[in-house]
Amino acid sequence: AIASVFLIVYELVPRAADQLALYLPAAGEKALGDTTLEQIRTAFGLDGSGYLATCEGLDGLSALVRMENRLMRGTEIDVPLTVTVLDHSLVNAFALPGGHVVFFRGLLEAAERPEEVAAVFAHEVGHVAAHDPTRLALRSAGSVGILGLLLGDFAGGAVLLYLAEQIVQADHSQTAAAAADAFAHDMLARNGVAPGALADMFERLRVEYGDVEGLEAHLASHPSLGDRIASARAADAAMQGPTWPLLRQDEWLALQSICD
């Protein structure tokens, strides 16, 4: 019986989720992402009301839109993007089903220049384009549902809160992370942003927080960080064509203070 449960949770559910993600209607995928984002805001709420605020400084939002428009030129994905900044100190960013790209305030504050934020944004768009968040959400929900039926420990909101936690702390597979990085390198280079910006941020955070406990506590876990840094450096060296500033200094400051 135990072997059967492991087979269902670790083999059958992931395979079924991968297939379902390919056929999930756009409206259903968007609804899944919207619901998960609300659960994340509930899970991380620190304002006394139990609901984490979104950051909506007008100048900061304008800078964020300008960054998005610059990077998305020449890139087509099959869902419209929704970019959100959450007012939390965690140094993290992640993608959700239905085109959501979410930053925590802490990542914007930890970045030293807009190109670093752009590199993280491009990586998350790579996950959106591949529907990785949808597969992850369906896998997590399916696994929790199966265990809940057997153990009786999960129901309703508890399942959604667990799913939210899994999304934020997502440990993407080597293949998914590498593909999202390659997507980001191409997007950045095509729009005049050096791919090495991603490596710069990772290297600085690794020095500041350490290789394992600190970095994993402050940044969503992706495997083989050293390989990802090396890959970004290689893409930077292979880039052809000029680079030009992503944002003006006043726009960058506005983006970093979007939650004020």
Side-chain angles (χ1 to χ4, degrees):
I2 293 174
S4 297
V5 171
F6 272 91
L7 177 65
I8 292 171
V9 170
Y10 291 104
E11 291 292 336
L12 299 184
V13 168
R15 292 184 183 183
D18 289 349
Q19 291 300 314
L20 182 58
L22 299 176
Y23 299 102
L24 188 67
E29 191 174 13
K30 181 67 163 54
L32 177 60
D34 292 346
T35 300
T36 307
L37 178 57
E38 293 308 296
Q39 290 298 325
I40 288 171
R41 294 179 65 189
T42 299
F44 284 83
L46 298 174
D47 61 357
S49 67
Y51 205 59
L52 184 62
T54 59
C55 301
E56 299 181 354
L58 294 180
D59 291 341
L61 288 176
S62 177
L64 190 60
V65 169
R66 178 170 179 174
M67 175 182 292
E68 177 184 346
N69 290 341
R70 162 86 172 267
L71 293 173
M72 292 301 294
R73 286 187 299 187
T75 299
E76 294 185 3
I77 57 177
D78 57 4
V79 292
L81 285 181
T82 301
V83 185
T84 305
V85 179
L86 297 179
D87 192 4
H88 194 286
S89 61
L90 194 67
V91 181
N92 198 352
F94 54 91
L96 294 176
H100 287 281
V101 173
V102 183
F103 291 96
F104 283 120
R105 165 177 51 82
L107 188 141
L108 301 182
E109 294 174 342
E112 291 188 349
R113 52 197 178 97
E115 287 74 15
E116 294 178 354
V117 176
V120 175
F121 171 85
H123 173 85
E124 300 305 337
V125 173
H127 282 305
V128 169
H131 297 274
D132 292 331
T134 303
R135 280 194 288 270
L136 176 64
L138 293 175
R139 288 181 184 184
S140 298
S143 299
V144 171
I146 293 295
L147 294 176
L149 288 174
L150 295 173
L151 304 176
D153 289 336
F154 297 93
V159 172
L160 290 174
L161 286 174
Y162 177 82
L163 173 58
E165 180 183 356
Q166 290 295 102
I167 289 285
V168 174
Q169 302 298 338
D171 185 2
H172 293 287
S173 70
Q174 281 279 2
T175 301
D181 278 349
F183 182 100
H185 300 159
D186 179 68
M187 172 187 278
L188 293 168
R190 188 172 60 250
N191 290 288
V193 180
L198 187 63
D200 291 342
M201 189 170 194
F202 282 157
E203 286 183 335
R204 191 173 62 256
L205 291 175
R206 184 166 61 175
V207 169
E208 183 173 353
Y209 297 117
D211 282 332
V212 182
E213 294 85 0
L215 185 60
E216 288 185 352
H218 288 78
L219 192 66
S221 177
H222 287 67
S224 300
L225 182 61
D227 289 345
R228 297 182 67 206
I229 291 174
S231 178
R233 293 292 183 214
D236 195 73
M239 178 181 175
Q240 298 180 351
T243 62
W244 62 94
L246 190 64
L247 297 174
R248 300 190 310 267
Q249 182 63 18
D250 62 309
E251 292 174 321
W252 170 230
L253 295 176
L255 180 57
Q256 284 195 301
S257 60
I258 190 173
C259 298
D260 292 349

